[in-house]
Amino acid sequence: MISSRLNQDELRTALQRKIDRKTKPPGALGQLEKIALQLGLLQNSLAPEIRNPQAIIFAGDHGISREGVSPYPAEVTGQMVRNFLSGGAAINVFARRAGLELTVVDAGVASELDDLEPPFPDDAHFVRARLGAGSRNFLETDALTRDEVERALETGAQIVRAALARGANLFALGEMGIGNTSSAALLVSVLAPIDIEAAVGRGAGLDDAGLERKLRLLKLARARYAGPVPAAPAAALAQFGGFEIVMLCGAMLAAAAGRAAILVDGFICTAAYLAAWRMNPGIASAAFFAHCSAEEAHAAVLKLLGVRPLLDLDLRLGEGSGAALAAPILCAAADFLRDMASFESAGVSDRSEGA
């Protein structure tokens, strides 16, 4: 860490000079230089480092899934939690490669998971934080009560605070929940705001007929919203959210408060971030956006936020897979700022001394 007497402007200047004096042409590391600068400012350090990086997957079911808005049945949410904890999912493979400690959270899975007991492969953790058997059907009523929203926000925050206490300073966040692209579409439609037709996509792979049905149903749900636009985030989360999405919001807010980096995964995590950002715009200093997903509305939300994703691989899997793939980029940015030689230390002439 550096002296607290150095304010953010002074720190920014010192970081930029350190970046520019590395043995490379100015700007040659492109976006990696901006990431390193952001990490240095976030950690209040000229030598930022990634410690004990975490992948946390929040899982929850959605009442809207009963309306056929996904090509997969609701039972898949619980089945995928079991897959995560048996080591067989994409997030397991990517987290293992990136050196991420994996935690899977039952935020509100409808199926029973009482038989799941450690040990799990790769020392994965399972957190039982179930606040209900999924959200309610927001075609008929609010998905969550205000009390459930507050409890879910605090639960997500507590999970991150526990990891912060263990020295973690990077959180690759993801989700699992059949029907949650519908929830995310409605959230961004009232929080961004974005027209509902532009917000609705194919999710887990709907065909044309399925997409038409999904859009028709979500238009009906959107018509139930009578509040201001952009919406108050807590009200939007109550009407259209899910337990896993709200816990993601709480996790992001707690990570930013702890000056830890947040790797936001795809469309659903970005919808959760949008709600958290509406609550506290200051979290932007901690946020990095892993990728731009194949869900068309994701690019529009990223543009609204004025951010550039680290990857563009046409991913649409969720479960934190894009965040896990992007995590090594943040590690590389911190490493080059901390460990790469300067012109002075390496005895290399910079361009001002050359021909």
Side-chain angles (χ1 to χ4, degrees), residues 47-91:
E49 60 179 328
I50 302 301
R51 300 184 303 273
N52 194 19
Q54 305 288 306
I56 305 180
I57 312 305
F58 294 88
D61 277 302
H62 292 257
I64 190 63
S65 66
R66 295 190 293 273
E67 303 290 341
V69 294
S70 171
Y72 293 93
E75 291 77 11
V76 169
T77 302
Q79 291 165 357
M80 282 303 299
V81 168
R82 293 177 181 277
N83 193 23
F84 299 151
L85 292 172
S86 67
I91 184 57

mmCIF file of all heavy atoms in Angstrom, residues 47-91:
data_model
loop_
_atom_site.group_PDB
_atom_site.id
_atom_site.type_symbol
_atom_site.label_atom_id
_atom_site.label_comp_id
_atom_site.label_asym_id
_atom_site.label_seq_id
_atom_site.Cartn_x
_atom_site.Cartn_y
_atom_site.Cartn_z
ATOM 1 N N ALA A 47 1.642 -1.157 -6.494
ATOM 2 C CA ALA A 47 1.993 -2.552 -6.779
ATOM 3 C C ALA A 47 0.806 -3.453 -6.439
ATOM 4 O O ALA A 47 0.872 -4.284 -5.528
ATOM 5 C CB ALA A 47 3.224 -2.969 -5.988
ATOM 6 N N PRO A 48 -0.307 -3.319 -7.173
ATOM 7 C CA PRO A 48 -1.489 -4.131 -6.858
ATOM 8 C C PRO A 48 -1.220 -5.605 -7.097
ATOM 9 O O PRO A 48 -0.372 -5.975 -7.916
ATOM 10 C CB PRO A 48 -2.548 -3.600 -7.826
ATOM 11 C CG PRO A 48 -1.762 -3.054 -8.970
ATOM 12 C CD PRO A 48 -0.514 -2.473 -8.362
ATOM 13 N N GLU A 49 -1.928 -6.442 -6.359
ATOM 14 C CA GLU A 49 -1.819 -7.883 -6.565
ATOM 15 C C GLU A 49 -3.166 -8.539 -6.332
ATOM 16 O O GLU A 49 -3.996 -8.033 -5.574
ATOM 17 C CB GLU A 49 -0.772 -8.490 -5.631
ATOM 18 C CG GLU A 49 -1.044 -8.293 -4.155
ATOM 19 C CD GLU A 49 0.029 -8.933 -3.288
ATOM 20 O OE1 GLU A 49 0.591 -9.952 -3.704
ATOM 21 O OE2 GLU A 49 0.285 -8.404 -2.189
ATOM 22 N N ILE A 50 -3.383 -9.644 -7.017
ATOM 23 C CA ILE A 50 -4.605 -10.423 -6.849
ATOM 24 C C ILE A 50 -4.325 -11.507 -5.825
ATOM 25 O O ILE A 50 -3.386 -12.290 -5.967
ATOM 26 C CB ILE A 50 -5.053 -11.048 -8.176
ATOM 27 C CG1 ILE A 50 -5.285 -9.971 -9.236
ATOM 28 C CG2 ILE A 50 -6.299 -11.897 -7.966
ATOM 29 C CD1 ILE A 50 -6.320 -8.928 -8.872
ATOM 30 N N ARG A 51 -5.159 -11.536 -4.786
ATOM 31 C CA ARG A 51 -4.977 -12.494 -3.692
ATOM 32 C C ARG A 51 -6.242 -13.331 -3.509
ATOM 33 O O ARG A 51 -7.343 -12.807 -3.481
ATOM 34 C CB ARG A 51 -4.653 -11.761 -2.384
ATOM 35 C CG ARG A 51 -3.394 -10.910 -2.424
ATOM 36 C CD ARG A 51 -3.108 -10.292 -1.044
ATOM 37 N NE ARG A 51 -4.230 -9.492 -0.565
ATOM 38 C CZ ARG A 51 -4.397 -8.208 -0.862
ATOM 39 N NH1 ARG A 51 -3.527 -7.580 -1.655
ATOM 40 N NH2 ARG A 51 -5.431 -7.550 -0.392
ATOM 41 N N ASN A 52 -6.054 -14.634 -3.352
ATOM 42 C CA ASN A 52 -7.139 -15.561 -3.023
ATOM 43 C C ASN A 52 -8.383 -15.311 -3.882
ATOM 44 O O ASN A 52 -9.480 -15.122 -3.356
ATOM 45 C CB ASN A 52 -7.486 -15.439 -1.529
ATOM 46 C CG ASN A 52 -8.348 -16.575 -1.027
ATOM 47 O OD1 ASN A 52 -8.431 -17.624 -1.645
ATOM 48 N ND2 ASN A 52 -9.012 -16.367 0.090
ATOM 49 N N PRO A 53 -8.265 -15.323 -5.210
ATOM 50 C CA PRO A 53 -9.413 -15.001 -6.058
ATOM 51 C C PRO A 53 -10.539 -16.028 -5.925
ATOM 52 O O PRO A 53 -10.290 -17.221 -5.793
ATOM 53 C CB PRO A 53 -8.814 -15.009 -7.465
ATOM 54 C CG PRO A 53 -7.615 -15.906 -7.363
ATOM 55 C CD PRO A 53 -7.065 -15.693 -5.989
ATOM 56 N N GLN A 54 -11.754 -15.529 -5.981
ATOM 57 C CA GLN A 54 -12.941 -16.332 -5.730
ATOM 58 C C GLN A 54 -13.862 -16.367 -6.947
ATOM 59 O O GLN A 54 -14.033 -15.360 -7.633
ATOM 60 C CB GLN A 54 -13.743 -15.739 -4.566
ATOM 61 C CG GLN A 54 -12.969 -15.546 -3.282
ATOM 62 C CD GLN A 54 -12.663 -16.861 -2.604
ATOM 63 O OE1 GLN A 54 -13.564 -17.651 -2.340
ATOM 64 N NE2 GLN A 54 -11.385 -17.093 -2.329
ATOM 65 N N ALA A 55 -14.474 -17.510 -7.194
ATOM 66 C CA ALA A 55 -15.617 -17.622 -8.099
ATOM 67 C C ALA A 55 -16.817 -17.993 -7.242
ATOM 68 O O ALA A 55 -16.784 -18.995 -6.515
ATOM 69 C CB ALA A 55 -15.375 -18.682 -9.163
ATOM 70 N N ILE A 56 -17.852 -17.182 -7.287
ATOM 71 C CA ILE A 56 -19.052 -17.445 -6.485
ATOM 72 C C ILE A 56 -20.250 -17.509 -7.426
ATOM 73 O O ILE A 56 -20.516 -16.568 -8.173
ATOM 74 C CB ILE A 56 -19.278 -16.364 -5.414
ATOM 75 C CG1 ILE A 56 -18.035 -16.205 -4.533
ATOM 76 C CG2 ILE A 56 -20.495 -16.728 -4.560
ATOM 77 C CD1 ILE A 56 -18.190 -15.143 -3.453
ATOM 78 N N ILE A 57 -20.953 -18.629 -7.375
ATOM 79 C CA ILE A 57 -22.115 -18.860 -8.223
ATOM 80 C C ILE A 57 -23.357 -18.888 -7.341
ATOM 81 O O ILE A 57 -23.470 -19.731 -6.438
ATOM 82 C CB ILE A 57 -22.003 -20.189 -8.995
ATOM 83 C CG1 ILE A 57 -20.633 -20.325 -9.662
ATOM 84 C CG2 ILE A 57 -23.139 -20.302 -10.015
ATOM 85 C CD1 ILE A 57 -20.250 -19.192 -10.570
ATOM 86 N N PHE A 58 -24.286 -17.986 -7.594
ATOM 87 C CA PHE A 58 -25.551 -17.927 -6.864
ATOM 88 C C PHE A 58 -26.634 -18.604 -7.710
ATOM 89 O O PHE A 58 -26.781 -18.290 -8.897
ATOM 90 C CB PHE A 58 -25.949 -16.481 -6.587
ATOM 91 C CG PHE A 58 -25.013 -15.756 -5.654
ATOM 92 C CD1 PHE A 58 -23.904 -15.088 -6.145
ATOM 93 C CD2 PHE A 58 -25.241 -15.748 -4.278
ATOM 94 C CE1 PHE A 58 -23.029 -14.418 -5.299
ATOM 95 C CE2 PHE A 58 -24.376 -15.080 -3.418
ATOM 96 C CZ PHE A 58 -23.261 -14.413 -3.933
ATOM 97 N N ALA A 59 -27.372 -19.527 -7.104
ATOM 98 C CA ALA A 59 -28.381 -20.297 -7.835
ATOM 99 C C ALA A 59 -29.762 -20.073 -7.241
ATOM 100 O O ALA A 59 -29.930 -20.063 -6.014
ATOM 101 C CB ALA A 59 -28.037 -21.789 -7.796
ATOM 102 N N GLY A 60 -30.742 -19.897 -8.122
ATOM 103 C CA GLY A 60 -32.114 -19.718 -7.650
ATOM 104 C C GLY A 60 -33.104 -19.998 -8.767
ATOM 105 O O GLY A 60 -32.791 -19.847 -9.954
ATOM 106 N N ASP A 61 -34.307 -20.399 -8.394
ATOM 107 C CA ASP A 61 -35.349 -20.671 -9.376
ATOM 108 C C ASP A 61 -36.307 -19.489 -9.503
ATOM 109 O O ASP A 61 -36.328 -18.584 -8.653
ATOM 110 C CB ASP A 61 -36.116 -21.936 -8.985
ATOM 111 C CG ASP A 61 -35.395 -23.191 -9.460
ATOM 112 O OD1 ASP A 61 -35.168 -23.295 -10.678
ATOM 113 O OD2 ASP A 61 -35.042 -24.046 -8.617
ATOM 114 N N HIS A 62 -37.089 -19.526 -10.588
ATOM 115 C CA HIS A 62 -37.979 -18.410 -10.938
ATOM 116 C C HIS A 62 -39.363 -18.922 -11.271
ATOM 117 O O HIS A 62 -39.521 -19.860 -12.064
ATOM 118 C CB HIS A 62 -37.407 -17.646 -12.138
ATOM 119 C CG HIS A 62 -36.150 -16.913 -11.821
ATOM 120 N ND1 HIS A 62 -36.111 -15.550 -11.616
ATOM 121 C CD2 HIS A 62 -34.880 -17.356 -11.620
ATOM 122 C CE1 HIS A 62 -34.871 -15.185 -11.325
ATOM 123 N NE2 HIS A 62 -34.099 -16.272 -11.325
ATOM 124 N N GLY A 63 -40.390 -18.294 -10.681
ATOM 125 C CA GLY A 63 -41.766 -18.690 -10.947
ATOM 126 C C GLY A 63 -42.152 -18.566 -12.404
ATOM 127 O O GLY A 63 -42.961 -19.349 -12.913
ATOM 128 N N ILE A 64 -41.546 -17.605 -13.121
ATOM 129 C CA ILE A 64 -41.884 -17.410 -14.529
ATOM 130 C C ILE A 64 -41.494 -18.614 -15.375
ATOM 131 O O ILE A 64 -42.028 -18.808 -16.475
ATOM 132 C CB ILE A 64 -41.196 -16.125 -15.053
ATOM 133 C CG1 ILE A 64 -41.717 -15.740 -16.442
ATOM 134 C CG2 ILE A 64 -39.686 -16.289 -15.084
ATOM 135 C CD1 ILE A 64 -43.185 -15.392 -16.478
ATOM 136 N N SER A 65 -40.594 -19.454 -14.886
ATOM 137 C CA SER A 65 -40.153 -20.611 -15.686
ATOM 138 C C SER A 65 -41.311 -21.560 -15.973
ATOM 139 O O SER A 65 -41.266 -22.312 -16.951
ATOM 140 C CB SER A 65 -39.020 -21.348 -14.976
ATOM 141 O OG SER A 65 -39.470 -21.938 -13.772
ATOM 142 N N ARG A 66 -42.358 -21.533 -15.159
ATOM 143 C CA ARG A 66 -43.518 -22.405 -15.388
ATOM 144 C C ARG A 66 -44.309 -22.007 -16.633
ATOM 145 O O ARG A 66 -45.185 -22.756 -17.085
ATOM 146 C CB ARG A 66 -44.431 -22.400 -14.159
ATOM 147 C CG ARG A 66 -43.798 -23.004 -12.922
ATOM 148 C CD ARG A 66 -44.815 -23.192 -11.814
ATOM 149 N NE ARG A 66 -45.313 -21.932 -11.281
ATOM 150 C CZ ARG A 66 -44.720 -21.256 -10.297
ATOM 151 N NH1 ARG A 66 -43.621 -21.724 -9.740
ATOM 152 N NH2 ARG A 66 -45.236 -20.119 -9.863
ATOM 153 N N GLU A 67 -44.013 -20.812 -17.163
ATOM 154 C CA GLU A 67 -44.745 -20.314 -18.330
ATOM 155 C C GLU A 67 -44.079 -20.705 -19.654
ATOM 156 O O GLU A 67 -44.518 -20.268 -20.716
ATOM 157 C CB GLU A 67 -44.863 -18.783 -18.256
ATOM 158 C CG GLU A 67 -45.530 -18.271 -16.996
ATOM 159 C CD GLU A 67 -47.011 -18.595 -16.943
ATOM 160 O OE1 GLU A 67 -47.606 -18.890 -18.007
ATOM 161 O OE2 GLU A 67 -47.588 -18.526 -15.842
ATOM 162 N N GLY A 68 -43.009 -21.481 -19.611
ATOM 163 C CA GLY A 68 -42.365 -21.929 -20.835
ATOM 164 C C GLY A 68 -41.473 -20.893 -21.490
ATOM 165 O O GLY A 68 -41.335 -20.878 -22.725
ATOM 166 N N VAL A 69 -40.834 -20.030 -20.684
ATOM 167 C CA VAL A 69 -39.952 -19.003 -21.239
ATOM 168 C C VAL A 69 -38.537 -19.531 -21.476
ATOM 169 O O VAL A 69 -37.679 -18.805 -21.987
ATOM 170 C CB VAL A 69 -39.893 -17.763 -20.317
ATOM 171 C CG1 VAL A 69 -41.242 -17.070 -20.268
ATOM 172 C CG2 VAL A 69 -39.422 -18.151 -18.911
ATOM 173 N N SER A 70 -38.275 -20.766 -21.092
ATOM 174 C CA SER A 70 -36.973 -21.385 -21.314
ATOM 175 C C SER A 70 -37.178 -22.750 -21.961
ATOM 176 O O SER A 70 -38.178 -23.424 -21.681
ATOM 177 C CB SER A 70 -36.222 -21.556 -19.987
ATOM 178 O OG SER A 70 -35.048 -22.337 -20.153
ATOM 179 N N PRO A 71 -36.241 -23.191 -22.801
ATOM 180 C CA PRO A 71 -36.363 -24.526 -23.376
ATOM 181 C C PRO A 71 -36.043 -25.634 -22.379
ATOM 182 O O PRO A 71 -36.219 -26.815 -22.698
ATOM 183 C CB PRO A 71 -35.348 -24.514 -24.525
ATOM 184 C CG PRO A 71 -34.327 -23.507 -24.119
ATOM 185 C CD PRO A 71 -35.086 -22.460 -23.350
ATOM 186 N N TYR A 72 -35.589 -25.262 -21.177
ATOM 187 C CA TYR A 72 -35.212 -26.248 -20.160
ATOM 188 C C TYR A 72 -36.199 -26.204 -18.999
ATOM 189 O O TYR A 72 -36.685 -25.135 -18.622
ATOM 190 C CB TYR A 72 -33.804 -25.989 -19.642
ATOM 191 C CG TYR A 72 -32.737 -26.213 -20.677
ATOM 192 C CD1 TYR A 72 -32.280 -25.163 -21.462
ATOM 193 C CD2 TYR A 72 -32.190 -27.480 -20.886
ATOM 194 C CE1 TYR A 72 -31.309 -25.363 -22.436
ATOM 195 C CE2 TYR A 72 -31.212 -27.685 -21.854
ATOM 196 C CZ TYR A 72 -30.777 -26.617 -22.617
ATOM 197 O OH TYR A 72 -29.818 -26.823 -23.578
ATOM 198 N N PRO A 73 -36.493 -27.335 -18.384
ATOM 199 C CA PRO A 73 -37.386 -27.347 -17.223
ATOM 200 C C PRO A 73 -36.703 -26.772 -15.989
ATOM 201 O O PRO A 73 -35.467 -26.748 -15.884
ATOM 202 C CB PRO A 73 -37.703 -28.835 -17.038
ATOM 203 C CG PRO A 73 -36.502 -29.542 -17.590
ATOM 204 C CD PRO A 73 -36.040 -28.697 -18.752
ATOM 205 N N ALA A 74 -37.516 -26.324 -15.028
ATOM 206 C CA ALA A 74 -36.987 -25.697 -13.817
ATOM 207 C C ALA A 74 -36.075 -26.637 -13.031
ATOM 208 O O ALA A 74 -35.176 -26.173 -12.319
ATOM 209 C CB ALA A 74 -38.141 -25.229 -12.936
ATOM 210 N N GLU A 75 -36.289 -27.949 -13.157
ATOM 211 C CA GLU A 75 -35.485 -28.906 -12.398
ATOM 212 C C GLU A 75 -33.990 -28.804 -12.723
ATOM 213 O O GLU A 75 -33.140 -29.230 -11.940
ATOM 214 C CB GLU A 75 -35.945 -30.339 -12.682
ATOM 215 C CG GLU A 75 -37.314 -30.692 -12.137
ATOM 216 C CD GLU A 75 -38.465 -30.134 -12.976
ATOM 217 O OE1 GLU A 75 -38.202 -29.645 -14.104
ATOM 218 O OE2 GLU A 75 -39.615 -30.181 -12.497
ATOM 219 N N VAL A 76 -33.662 -28.205 -13.860
ATOM 220 C CA VAL A 76 -32.263 -28.106 -14.268
ATOM 221 C C VAL A 76 -31.447 -27.245 -13.308
ATOM 222 O O VAL A 76 -30.245 -27.476 -13.126
ATOM 223 C CB VAL A 76 -32.163 -27.576 -15.719
ATOM 224 C CG1 VAL A 76 -30.727 -27.201 -16.085
ATOM 225 C CG2 VAL A 76 -32.692 -28.634 -16.689
ATOM 226 N N THR A 77 -32.074 -26.276 -12.657
ATOM 227 C CA THR A 77 -31.324 -25.429 -11.718
ATOM 228 C C THR A 77 -30.675 -26.281 -10.633
ATOM 229 O O THR A 77 -29.460 -26.213 -10.409
ATOM 230 C CB THR A 77 -32.239 -24.367 -11.082
ATOM 231 O OG1 THR A 77 -32.832 -23.566 -12.103
ATOM 232 C CG2 THR A 77 -31.435 -23.473 -10.140
ATOM 233 N N GLY A 78 -31.470 -27.100 -9.959
ATOM 234 C CA GLY A 78 -30.926 -27.963 -8.914
ATOM 235 C C GLY A 78 -29.963 -28.990 -9.464
ATOM 236 O O GLY A 78 -28.946 -29.313 -8.839
ATOM 237 N N GLN A 79 -30.280 -29.511 -10.645
ATOM 238 C CA GLN A 79 -29.395 -30.504 -11.256
ATOM 239 C C GLN A 79 -28.031 -29.903 -11.574
ATOM 240 O O GLN A 79 -26.989 -30.547 -11.404
ATOM 241 C CB GLN A 79 -30.047 -31.068 -12.519
ATOM 242 C CG GLN A 79 -31.263 -31.936 -12.228
ATOM 243 C CD GLN A 79 -32.116 -32.199 -13.454
ATOM 244 O OE1 GLN A 79 -31.833 -31.687 -14.557
ATOM 245 N NE2 GLN A 79 -33.178 -32.979 -13.287
ATOM 246 N N MET A 80 -28.017 -28.643 -12.019
ATOM 247 C CA MET A 80 -26.747 -27.991 -12.320
ATOM 248 C C MET A 80 -25.961 -27.665 -11.048
ATOM 249 O O MET A 80 -24.731 -27.718 -11.049
ATOM 250 C CB MET A 80 -26.970 -26.743 -13.158
ATOM 251 C CG MET A 80 -27.237 -27.039 -14.626
ATOM 252 S SD MET A 80 -25.922 -28.005 -15.448
ATOM 253 C CE MET A 80 -24.517 -26.899 -15.272
ATOM 254 N N VAL A 81 -26.650 -27.336 -9.961
ATOM 255 C CA VAL A 81 -25.945 -27.154 -8.693
ATOM 256 C C VAL A 81 -25.208 -28.437 -8.331
ATOM 257 O O VAL A 81 -24.036 -28.421 -7.921
ATOM 258 C CB VAL A 81 -26.915 -26.737 -7.570
ATOM 259 C CG1 VAL A 81 -26.240 -26.826 -6.200
ATOM 260 C CG2 VAL A 81 -27.423 -25.322 -7.808
ATOM 261 N N ARG A 82 -25.868 -29.563 -8.517
ATOM 262 C CA ARG A 82 -25.212 -30.848 -8.249
ATOM 263 C C ARG A 82 -24.012 -31.054 -9.191
ATOM 264 O O ARG A 82 -22.974 -31.580 -8.781
ATOM 265 C CB ARG A 82 -26.214 -31.996 -8.407
ATOM 266 C CG ARG A 82 -27.311 -31.973 -7.342
ATOM 267 C CD ARG A 82 -28.334 -33.085 -7.558
ATOM 268 N NE ARG A 82 -29.376 -33.008 -6.538
ATOM 269 C CZ ARG A 82 -29.269 -33.525 -5.310
ATOM 270 N NH1 ARG A 82 -28.151 -34.177 -4.961
ATOM 271 N NH2 ARG A 82 -30.246 -33.403 -4.441
ATOM 272 N N ASN A 83 -24.171 -30.641 -10.437
ATOM 273 C CA ASN A 83 -23.075 -30.757 -11.398
ATOM 274 C C ASN A 83 -21.880 -29.890 -10.977
ATOM 275 O O ASN A 83 -20.724 -30.316 -11.046
ATOM 276 C CB ASN A 83 -23.571 -30.349 -12.783
ATOM 277 C CG ASN A 83 -22.616 -30.727 -13.892
ATOM 278 O OD1 ASN A 83 -21.799 -31.636 -13.766
ATOM 279 N ND2 ASN A 83 -22.706 -30.019 -15.009
ATOM 280 N N PHE A 84 -22.163 -28.660 -10.516
ATOM 281 C CA PHE A 84 -21.082 -27.792 -10.029
ATOM 282 C C PHE A 84 -20.323 -28.471 -8.891
ATOM 283 O O PHE A 84 -19.094 -28.423 -8.822
ATOM 284 C CB PHE A 84 -21.628 -26.466 -9.504
ATOM 285 C CG PHE A 84 -22.374 -25.626 -10.507
ATOM 286 C CD1 PHE A 84 -23.386 -24.772 -10.083
ATOM 287 C CD2 PHE A 84 -22.081 -25.677 -11.863
ATOM 288 C CE1 PHE A 84 -24.076 -23.984 -10.977
ATOM 289 C CE2 PHE A 84 -22.776 -24.893 -12.774
ATOM 290 C CZ PHE A 84 -23.781 -24.044 -12.330
ATOM 291 N N LEU A 85 -21.084 -29.085 -7.998
ATOM 292 C CA LEU A 85 -20.467 -29.648 -6.795
ATOM 293 C C LEU A 85 -19.887 -31.042 -7.027
ATOM 294 O O LEU A 85 -19.226 -31.579 -6.135
ATOM 295 C CB LEU A 85 -21.480 -29.656 -5.650
ATOM 296 C CG LEU A 85 -21.860 -28.247 -5.159
ATOM 297 C CD1 LEU A 85 -23.010 -28.307 -4.169
ATOM 298 C CD2 LEU A 85 -20.662 -27.541 -4.539
ATOM 299 N N SER A 86 -20.120 -31.588 -8.210
ATOM 300 C CA SER A 86 -19.436 -32.831 -8.570
ATOM 301 C C SER A 86 -18.238 -32.556 -9.477
ATOM 302 O O SER A 86 -17.516 -33.486 -9.860
ATOM 303 C CB SER A 86 -20.407 -33.800 -9.259
ATOM 304 O OG SER A 86 -20.817 -33.293 -10.519
ATOM 305 N N GLY A 87 -18.039 -31.290 -9.830
ATOM 306 C CA GLY A 87 -16.862 -30.901 -10.609
ATOM 307 C C GLY A 87 -17.012 -31.024 -12.105
ATOM 308 O O GLY A 87 -16.016 -30.951 -12.829
ATOM 309 N N GLY A 88 -18.256 -31.146 -12.617
ATOM 310 C CA GLY A 88 -18.427 -31.458 -14.022
ATOM 311 C C GLY A 88 -18.847 -30.343 -14.945
ATOM 312 O O GLY A 88 -19.043 -30.581 -16.134
ATOM 313 N N ALA A 89 -18.993 -29.120 -14.451
ATOM 314 C CA ALA A 89 -19.505 -28.025 -15.285
ATOM 315 C C ALA A 89 -18.365 -27.191 -15.872
ATOM 316 O O ALA A 89 -17.206 -27.294 -15.468
ATOM 317 C CB ALA A 89 -20.430 -27.139 -14.457
ATOM 318 N N ALA A 90 -18.714 -26.337 -16.810
ATOM 319 C CA ALA A 90 -17.719 -25.447 -17.412
ATOM 320 C C ALA A 90 -17.042 -24.590 -16.353
ATOM 321 O O ALA A 90 -15.826 -24.380 -16.394
ATOM 322 C CB ALA A 90 -18.374 -24.569 -18.476
ATOM 323 N N ILE A 91 -17.818 -24.084 -15.395
ATOM 324 C CA ILE A 91 -17.216 -23.225 -14.376
ATOM 325 C C ILE A 91 -16.163 -23.981 -13.569
ATOM 326 O O ILE A 91 -15.147 -23.408 -13.171
ATOM 327 C CB ILE A 91 -18.293 -22.606 -13.445
ATOM 328 C CG1 ILE A 91 -17.649 -21.632 -12.441
ATOM 329 C CG2 ILE A 91 -19.080 -23.668 -12.716
ATOM 330 C CD1 ILE A 91 -16.862 -20.516 -13.062
#
